[in-house]
Each structure stands twice: as C-alpha cells, then as structure tokens.
C-alpha cells in the first residue's frame, strides 16, 4: 500500500512468492475415552449383556453339560471264544457316573486336596494358582506346573483336546465360567470324577476303583483314594499297574496335602500308605490276529454303553491252540529250507472262522499274513480255470493237450520240463498241476470266463486279463482264497467269512451278495478234481483217513507255497513264505503247507463234533473217479509240485522232448461245447498285474 499526498491510498499486489497459504486447521483434541462411558453407559452395558447372552446361548447349544456323564463312543469289548473263554479286550473302560454326595468325604477330598485346593472358593478360574504356575514355569524355562482348576479340567476332558495352545486355554477358561454358572460345585466334581482318565484305558472313578482295587468308589479307603487321586497327574506313568513304586510316591504327596488341609490327621496319613493292588478284571491281551481282524465288525455291532460288553466270537479255543502249534512246529522243523513265516485260516462252510494264525508271533509282528498279505496263489488259482471249463461243458474226463505251448513271446513251462506229450484227462492235468494244460484250457474257455468264475466264488482282488492268470499270477489274501474253496465245499457261493457268532448287522446299503447254489454238475466235477489232487497228485501229503479235497500252489521261484482244502464242514487254507518275498529252498504247496494242513485238520477230524463229509452224488454228466478206477497215466514221475514259474522265453528246440504246439479243438479227445451254445456276456478286462 502506498501513501499519496492527496491522502489517497493505493493497494499494490504483493509478489506471488510472498503470498502464504492459510495455516491448516488444528485437529480437535482427542476425546477422552472415559467420556464415552459417561455419555453412553446404557448402550455399552446393553451391548455387553447382549454379547454375554449370545455367548451363553451358543454354549448351551454347543456344549451339553451332561457330556461327561455319557458312556464312551465305543464300549469295552471282551472277546469270548465260541466255547466261552475270554481271549482279548478291546476299547476303553468306563462305568456309570458317581455322585460325590454318596461318597465318603475322603474320596472327593483327596482329589480336591491335590488338584484344586481352592475348588470351593473360586468361580472356575483360580487367578492365584495361574500366577503361581506362570512364575514357576518362567523360572524353570519350561512348563512344569499347571494352574488349571477342576472345573477347567472338566471343560478340557469333556469338550476340548489336550493341545497346549493359547486358543485352547482361552476356550477352556470360557467353558469353565459357563459350567460354574450352570452347575453346583458338587455337580462339577461329580462330572469330573466320572470322566477323568486313570491310565490303563480306564475312565472315571467307578471304573478305576474296580480296575485297580476290585471295589466300588464307596468302599475305597483313604490310601486307595489318595493313590487314585495321584494317578491323574500322569496316568500313563503313575498307573499302579505300570509302576507301583511311583504310584506310592505320588500317593504320599496326596496324603500330605490332605493332612495339611485338615482332611485327615498326620497319623491317618502314615497309616494310609499301605495299599494292596487287587485288579478286578482279568488280564487279557489287547489284540491278536483274530481280534484285530474282527475289530471293525465289532464296532459296528454294538452301541455305546457303560462297563464291558462280552462279545461271543466264532473262534474255537481248542482249534486255535492247535493251529498255532501246527504252524510253529512246521516252521521250526523247516530249518535249511529258508521258510520263516506261515499263516492259517480255518472256517466252517457257512463262513464262521474257527481259527486264524496270522504269523509265528503276534508280539513281534502284528501284520496279519492271513488277511492283509497279498500273494500269488500259484496253482491254487487253477480251481477257477477248471470251474470255467466245467461250465462250458467239459467233464473231468475231457482231454487237454499236455505239451509245450507258446503264446506270442510267452512260453509257459511245466515243472522240471516234464510233459505227457499227448492229450490227458482234465483230472490228471489238475492232479499233477500241469501248467501248459491250465493255460490251454484258459485260452479255450476264455480268460473272462475264468475271471467270472473267480468272481462268482467270492474273489474280489484285481485279476489281470492276460494269459498268465491261469498260473495264479494275480494276488489275493489267504482268507479270500480259502473263502472261495469254502464255496465249493458248501455248494453255494459266495461264502462270506465272519468272526462274530451273532448274525452281522448291515447298514442302509445292504450286506454281501445273496448266496446262490453252485451247479450240481459243476460242484461234482470240482470234487472229483480236488479229490484226485490228494489221492494221487501233488497234495498226497495232506491225506487223512477221511476224504480230503484240496489243491496245492507254488509261486515263482518258490516264493509262496499254499495248500487249501476241506474235509467235512471244515475248510482250511495254509500259506508258507517270507515277509521279504525272498525265495525258499524248494518249498512247494505239497510239502510244508500240506503237512500243516494234515496236522491241524487231522486233530480237528478226531473230535466228536467233527462232521463227516456228505458223499458226493455225481450227476449222469460227471464220472466218479473211484467208480471207474481208471488206469494210471504213464507220465514221468514228479520230482515235486509244479512251481508255476513266471513267463519264460524258450526257443522251440529247448530240449522239451516234444516240439511246441498250439492247441486246436481237434487235438482233444472230447470236443468243446457246440458253437451255437449261448455263452455268457464278456466281462470287462481286469487291471493288469504289476
């Protein structure tokens, strides 16, 4: 601004650089948090109450307070043989709940003294104990002490897991407050004592009193109550049956705490130290091969409940003991033959398993070689090949060429390269387990028909669709193969193996396939073939005074040896081999397995309850071997059972004595069925074997 003499004032704009922007407005002073509480106390209080109500409603819906009083998901099962002898116990043990109002004061007092001495004075959380535990753990550098109350332990046992996380501890505290609001102190303590773990698979005070002292909780002495209260800290380590001295040391700590709180006198504490363990339940193993096998079946069959449930099984205690002896004796006597393991399954023709040996020693290996091991059955699979042939019109006296054979790049071989060099009856090819005859027969009747025959007899394992199936190159379990032979013995198929004496219960999707009768002509033919194996074939080592029907099997390089057969209503399968699948020293199905079969089945046949086999009544289409008494074939003597070796590429001039040929229908003494006979639809090919 300029001042002129005339008194006129003139404003002059200042340079742009000299103009300053107005200062920004200062932020309002922060609102005092306390003023919010002053101005909106009602809204905040209502919000807190609403949150508390929602939380309580959620807890009421999600956490039933009676859960601790409920039985365990799976009841304790005592497995009993068919003749009434307990042999295994499965599952955890829990008895009916206890009521602290009905117990002597020293019983709940022992738990309160050592676990939560301020139990009756806090509201679910003991801040003093939590602070003391935090200080102790900080000094030790690890968790050495807990500050949980009995209410918190109940919350954890009934609703949460044992994971040591801050989230779980927060949930535990919230649930504890909820339980204190819903239940009285005596109700909380009753639920805690009814559900806490005492080791040895025992839950709840009533079960613990019975298990360790054969008493009810109302009969426990001061010393016994103190010992049980001491176990809770570390059940697996302090259980009296595990370490009685450690349990006694912990008991003295509990008695001292009870005396310190005036529950008992010092003299009573000293007198209560003497406690004698008296287990109220018979000591039974947790598992066995048979018990493990029926575990899933028993869980489906029984609902939740307190105490122990006696489950009557199909196992025969006498036959089971004999089966174990037969297996161990045979393997012990096989020194130098490199056979280290064996398995046996014995069942009735209705599927009831009466004996099961899954290996030499369950304590050393719980792997069940009777139900879990998948092995090549070798010639024992030929049962399905010959069944398919019988269905296509063949009879035991139909002929099949027993001479070297080549299928593409594969040349199957007989044992030791021995061949008849001419057509032979099926009964002789089956009895002497001719590999080339089985392959020819499989190719003539169709591999899919062989697979269908195996399926009809109950085999569910994958079966390859290549020519090697005739020699048993697919894998299956001993139980599965034995069940298939049981179908032949029963005259109906399939036979479903079971281990419970009671009829099984099935879910909404149904049970096993409905059995159907095996054709009379088919069954009669199979009986003739299976009988020949034992009377004059590879299975003579299994012969008994009673008629025996069976088949041997040996896989490539003597890795597996089998004998599966039946007499009367008893069907027995035996496997011998090594867990690492290493070859044995020329062990065939007709040697060790057949001897085990004879040892075990001979004993069973001597019992009064043994059922003599019903004589086979052949149809007019089936010739009975004993009736016609055929002349023995002039074949080279067998040096052992065929080993069903894997495919080998052998040139035509390999020295078989007979040149390789391809079988033709005109080579057979009895032609195959007419072409116009309707054949069953082809089954989809199975997965190739690996």
């Amino acid at each position: 601004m300029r001042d002129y003499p005339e008194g006129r004032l003139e404003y002059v704009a200042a340079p742009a650089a000299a103009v300053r922007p107005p200062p920004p407005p200062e932020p309002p002073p922060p609102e005092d948090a306390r003023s919010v509480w002053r101005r909106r106390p009602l809204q905040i209080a209502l919000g807190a109450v609403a949150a508390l109500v929602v939380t309580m409603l959620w807890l009421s819906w999600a956490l039933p307070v009676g859960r601790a009083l409920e039985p365990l998901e799976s009841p304790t099962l005592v497995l009993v043989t068919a003749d009434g002898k307990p042999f295994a116990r499965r599952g955890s043990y829990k008895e009916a709940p206890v009521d602290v109002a009905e117990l002597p004061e020293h019983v709940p007092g022992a738990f309160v003294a050592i676990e939560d001495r301020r139990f009756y004075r806090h509201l679910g959380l003991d801040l003093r104990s939590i602070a003391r535990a935090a200080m102790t753990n900080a000094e030790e550098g690890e968790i050495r002490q807990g500050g949980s109350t009995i209410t918190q332990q109940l919350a954890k046992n009934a609703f949460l897991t044992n994971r040591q996380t801050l989230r779980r501890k927060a949930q535990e505290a919230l649930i504890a407050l909820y339980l204190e609001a819903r239940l009285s102190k005596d109700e909380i303590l009753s639920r805690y004592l009814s559900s806490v773990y005492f080791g040895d698979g025992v839950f709840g005070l009533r079960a613990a009193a019975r298990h360790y002292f054969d008493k009810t909780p109302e009969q426990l002495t001061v010393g016994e109550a103190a010992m049980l209260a001491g176990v809770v800290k570390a059940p697996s380590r302090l259980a009296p049956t595990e370490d009685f001295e450690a349990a006694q040391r912990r008991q003295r700590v509990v008695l001292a705490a009870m005396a310190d709180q005036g529950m008992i006198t010092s003299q009573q504490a000293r007198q209560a130290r003497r406690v004698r363990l008296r287990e109220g339940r018979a000591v039974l193993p947790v598992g066995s091969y048979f018990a493990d096998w029926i575990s899933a079946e028993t869980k489906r069959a029984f609902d939740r409940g307190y105490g122990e449930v006696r489950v009557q099984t199909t196992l025969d205690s006498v036959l089971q003991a004999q089966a174990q002896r037969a297996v161990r004796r045979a393997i012990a006597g096989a020194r130098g033959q490199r056979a280290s393991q064996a398995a046996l399954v014995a069942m009735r023709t209705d599927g009831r398993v009466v004996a099961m040996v899954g290996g030499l020693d369950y304590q050393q290996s719980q792997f069940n070689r009777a139900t879990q091991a998948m092995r090549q059955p070798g010639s024992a699979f030929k049962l399905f090949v010959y069944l398919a042939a019988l269905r296509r019109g063949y009879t035991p006296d139909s002929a099949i060429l027993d001479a070297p054979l080549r299928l593409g790049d594969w040349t199957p071989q007989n044992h030791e390269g021995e061949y008849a060099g001419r057509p032979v009856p099926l009964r002789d090819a089956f009895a002497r387990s001719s590999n080339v005859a089985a392959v020819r027969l499989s190719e003539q009747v169709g591999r899919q028909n062989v697979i269908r025959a195996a399926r009809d007899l109950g085999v569910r394992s994958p079966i390859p669709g290549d020519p090697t199936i005739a020699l048993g190159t697919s894998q299956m379990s001993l139980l599965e193969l034995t069940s298939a032979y049981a179908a032949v013995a029963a005259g109906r198929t399939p036979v479903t193996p079971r281990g419970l004496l009671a009829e099984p219960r099935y879910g909404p999707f149904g049970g096993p396939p409905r059995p159907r009768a095996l054709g009379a002509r088919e069954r009669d033919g199979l009986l003739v073939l299976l009988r020949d194996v034992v009377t004059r074939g590879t299975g003579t080592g299994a012969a008994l005074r009673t008629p025996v029907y069976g088949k041997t099997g040996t896989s490539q390089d003597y890795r597996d040896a089998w004998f599966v057969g039946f007499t009367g209503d008893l069907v027995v399968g035996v496997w011998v081999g090594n867990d690492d699948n290493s070859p044995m020293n020329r062990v065939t199905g007709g040697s060790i397995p057949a001897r085990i079969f004879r040892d075990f089945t001979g004993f069973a046949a001597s019992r009064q309850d043994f059922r003599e086999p019903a004589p086979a009544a052949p149809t007019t289409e089936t010739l009975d071997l004993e009736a016609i008494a055929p002349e023995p074939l002039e074949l080279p003597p067998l040096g052992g059972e065929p080993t069903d070796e894997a495919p080998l590429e052998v040139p035509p001039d390999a020295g078989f004595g007979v040149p390789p040929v391809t079988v033709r229908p005109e080579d057979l003494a009895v032609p195959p069925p007419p072409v116009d006979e309707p054949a069953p639809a082809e089954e989809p090919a199975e997965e190739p074997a690996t």
Side-chain angles (χ1 to χ4, degrees):
M1 185 178 66
R2 297 176 181 176
D3 190 5
Y4 291 92
E6 293 83 1
R8 182 168 54 88
L9 296 178
E10 182 181 356
Y11 288 90
V12 180
V19 178
R20 296 180 180 178
E26 296 183 0
E31 187 177 14
D32 188 357
R34 290 175 296 180
S35 65
V36 177
W37 289 95
R38 294 192 190 100
R39 289 187 291 110
R40 298 186 178 88
L42 182 59
Q43 293 91 329
I44 294 174
L46 290 176
V49 171
L52 181 61
V53 169
V54 171
T55 302
M56 288 299 179
L57 289 176
W58 177 79
L59 289 173
S60 300
W61 172 77
L63 304 176
V65 294
R67 180 175 296 178
L69 304 179
E70 297 175 356
L72 300 173
E73 289 292 337
S74 300
T76 305
L77 303 178
V78 177
L79 304 183
V80 183
T81 61
D83 47 341
K85 297 180 180 179
F87 65 92
R89 180 183 285 113
R90 309 300 295 262
S92 300
Y93 179 43
K94 185 178 182 180
E95 288 283 3
V98 298
D99 185 352
V100 295
E102 300 176 358
L103 299 176
E105 291 185 2
H106 62 263
V107 175
F111 291 87
V112 171
I114 195 63
E115 290 295 317
D116 187 4
R117 62 174 59 195
R118 289 168 45 82
F119 173 69
Y120 288 100
R121 299 194 295 275
H122 61 65
L123 296 178
L125 303 177
D126 191 346
L127 299 180
R128 185 184 304 175
S129 297
I130 294 175
R132 182 176 63 251
M135 293 178 60
T136 301
N137 295 336
E139 293 174 358
E140 296 290 340
E142 59 181 347
I143 298 178
R144 299 294 299 275
Q145 190 177 106
S148 297
T149 63
I150 284 179
T151 313
Q152 287 177 273
Q153 293 183 50
L154 173 61
K156 179 187 68 176
N157 295 339
F159 305 107
L160 302 172
T161 66
N162 290 324
R163 295 181 60 187
Q164 294 288 343
T165 63
L166 291 177
R167 180 181 179 183
R168 200 270 292 166
K169 293 298 290 184
Q171 293 173 329
E172 179 184 295
L174 182 62
I175 296 173
L177 293 174
Y178 166 73
L179 294 176
E180 289 279 351
R182 284 288 307 274
L183 304 172
S184 68
K185 287 291 186 179
D186 281 356
E187 288 175 329
I188 292 174
L189 188 56
S190 297
R191 283 163 169 74
Y192 169 76
L193 294 177
S194 299
S195 60
V196 67
Y197 183 54
F198 287 92
D200 270 9
V202 175
F203 289 83
L205 182 61
R206 191 174 300 279
R210 176 64 61 193
H211 179 70
Y212 292 116
F213 301 113
D214 197 19
K215 291 183 176 182
T216 64
E218 294 79 10
Q219 298 171 325
L220 291 173
T221 65
V222 174
E224 292 166 345
M227 181 168 285
L228 291 180
V231 169
V232 174
K233 179 181 179 181
S236 59
R237 180 170 55 86
L238 297 176
T241 51
E242 294 294 329
D243 191 339
F244 189 69
E245 292 183 0
Q248 283 183 315
R249 290 192 297 269
R250 180 64 177 171
Q251 177 209 37
R252 298 190 192 102
V253 175
V254 177
L255 291 172
M258 295 176 69
D260 183 59
Q261 298 174 50
M263 297 180 181
I264 58 175
T265 64
S266 299
Q267 182 179 359
Q268 289 175 320
R270 288 191 297 271
Q271 293 174 346
R273 292 179 179 179
R274 292 185 178 181
V275 170
R276 189 177 69 173
L277 203 62
R278 198 172 94 184
E279 297 182 59
R281 300 193 299 165
V283 178
L284 294 173
V286 174
S288 67
Y289 292 118
F290 182 85
D292 293 349
W293 172 60
I294 65 170
S295 178
E297 190 177 356
T298 54
K299 289 179 180 178
R300 291 194 302 267
F302 296 94
D303 299 323
R304 301 174 65 178
Y306 296 114
E308 296 183 336
V309 178
R310 290 173 67 89
V311 181
Q312 197 164 20
T313 69
T314 60
L315 198 68
D316 186 308
S317 62
V318 178
L319 291 181
Q320 176 66 22
Q322 179 63 24
Q324 293 171 342
R325 282 194 293 267
V327 167
R328 291 170 182 168
R329 181 167 39 234
I331 296 301
R335 296 177 180 176
Q337 293 183 275
R338 296 196 297 274
S340 62
Q341 279 293 352
L344 181 149
V345 171
M347 66 172 63
R348 301 298 181 185
T349 52
D350 61 359
R352 288 175 294 138
V353 176
V354 295
M356 177 179 288
V357 180
L360 291 185
D361 192 339
Y362 178 81
Q363 299 302 322
Q364 292 184 0
S365 171
Q366 288 77 52
F367 180 72
N368 193 334
R369 296 153 189 85
T371 62
Q372 295 175 288
M374 303 298 290
R375 297 290 190 131
Q376 292 184 351
S379 289
F381 186 88
K382 293 174 183 175
L383 174 78
F384 311 118
V385 177
Y386 283 75
L387 173 58
L390 293 171
R391 287 178 171 179
R392 300 290 291 174
Y394 290 84
T395 73
D397 290 302
S398 298
I400 190 72
L401 184 62
D402 183 18
L405 168 69
R406 173 175 291 165
L407 292 174
D409 295 333
W410 179 46
T411 305
Q413 292 184 353
N414 280 353
H415 179 67
E416 302 293 346
E418 297 174 350
Y419 304 85
R422 57 184 173 82
V424 299
L426 295 191
R427 59 173 46 148
D428 292 293
F430 190 78
R432 293 176 178 257
S433 206
S434 169
N435 286 341
V436 293
V439 174
R440 278 194 171 90
L441 199 57
S442 174
E443 294 300 300
Q444 289 179 22
V445 302
R447 302 169 202 162
Q448 296 306 317
N449 290 322
V450 174
I451 295 173
R452 182 176 293 110
R455 295 285 182 248
D456 289 345
L457 292 188
V459 175
R460 293 295 173 262
S461 297
I463 303 176
D466 57 72
T468 66
I469 63 171
L471 304 186
T473 56
S474 61
Q475 295 184 336
M476 61 186 65
S477 70
L478 176 62
L479 180 65
E480 189 175 24
L481 186 61
T482 306
S483 301
Y485 277 72
V488 178
R492 63 181 182 278
T493 178
V495 171
T496 303
R498 60 187 176 94
L500 297 185
L501 204 56
E503 289 295 328
R505 299 189 309 183
Y506 299 104
F509 299 104
R514 180 178 298 178
R516 67 175 184 83
L518 193 65
R521 196 184 66 81
E522 300 167 6
R523 181 172 184 266
D524 292 344
L526 291 177
L527 292 178
V528 169
L529 298 174
L530 294 169
R531 181 75 176 128
D532 270 7
V533 172
V534 180
T535 56
R536 62 189 188 96
T538 59
T540 55
L544 298 170
R545 293 182 178 179
T546 60
V548 174
Y549 306 82
K551 184 69 184 77
T552 57
T554 311
S555 66
Q556 180 185 7
D557 296 331
Y558 303 96
R559 298 178 188 275
D560 306 280
W562 309 68
F563 186 89
V564 187
F566 53 88
T567 180
D569 68 338
L570 185 64
V571 188
V572 181
V574 180
W575 167 87
V576 175
N578 297 308
D579 286 339
D580 60 0
N581 205 30
S582 60
M584 297 176 286
N585 186 10
R586 301 185 67 83
V587 176
T588 65
S591 57
I592 299 177
R595 289 197 296 270
I596 294 175
F597 176 93
R598 182 182 59 193
D599 189 357
F600 171 76
T601 313
F603 173 84
S606 67
R607 299 196 344 171
Q608 293 182 350
D609 60 349
F610 176 74
R611 291 185 183 179
E612 288 287 344
T619 64
T620 56
E621 299 174 337
T622 305
L623 296 179
D624 187 358
L625 176 65
E626 277 106 9
I628 64 174
E631 294 294 328
L633 291 175
E634 296 179 359
L635 296 178
L638 293 178
E641 185 205 356
T643 59
D644 309 338
E645 295 185 2
L648 296 174
E649 294 185 4
V650 183
D653 55 350
F656 287 130
V658 181
V661 296
T662 300
V663 69
R664 297 172 300 173
E666 54 266 27
D667 293 326
L668 300 174
V670 179
V675 177
D676 58 352
E677 179 179 329
E682 290 293 310
E683 181 180 282
E686 298 285 331
E687 295 181 359
T690 55

